[in-house]
Amino acid sequence: RTCNPPDTVYAFQSGLGIACLARASKPLGDPALLATARQVLAAWQSFVLPKSLCRDCLYFQTSGSANDAGRYVRNMNVFMAFGAANLGAAGDAEAMQIARRAMASELAESARGNQGYLGILDPQWMKSKKEADRIENHAASVAVLSMQMGNLLGDAKIAQHAKKIWLEW
């Protein structure tokens, strides 16, 4: 019920930025781009939710705004996983592990029947279980990014998840 300030940094923007920096570094021959991507991902570690649906799950908060403390929007987490996977593909083993853990949370949401925009750990989702059925346009981006990450991470379960999300959408 509160709008975030105009300078709010969102997880989807950061995830895309990390991916772009990681992908551009090699063809541009600029290792500073990788260093910046690593710094951004490291900064987001302070926005990881303390609760989890599974031991290996990792949940990034929606944004860096105090208004979003404890908020969990599924597509935002997938965008962060996408950034981490691209950084991992550029040779960062820790980022690859972060990507796997963030996608484990997405798979855990789906396994529990959540097709919605919000994650099960989000306070608004907990107030209304109808959120589990609230499929919306962000699902298409989750499907596309999941397919790419299935390839980047070499994980057929993630690629299958991508198809499932696409068909649900």
Side-chain angles (χ1 to χ4, degrees), residues 78-99:
V78 171
F79 275 97
M80 287 299 295
F82 181 68
N86 279 278
L87 186 54
D92 187 316
E94 182 180 348
M96 191 64 85
Q97 189 59 24
I98 289 169

Side-chain angles (χ1 to χ4, degrees), residues 118-163:
L118 298 176
I120 292 170
L121 299 175
D122 187 89
Q124 187 174 327
W125 191 95
M126 291 179 203
K127 289 178 186 176
S128 174
K129 302 303 186 232
K130 291 179 183 178
E131 288 290 336
D133 297 321
R134 190 169 71 125
I135 296 175
E136 42 71 67
N137 289 336
H138 291 97
S141 65
V142 170
V144 170
L145 294 178
S146 295
M147 183 57 72
Q148 293 227 354
M149 282 184 287
N151 294 332
L152 284 170
L153 301 172
D155 190 328
K157 289 185 295 187
I158 295 173
Q160 290 168 347
H161 173 71
K163 185 176 180 181

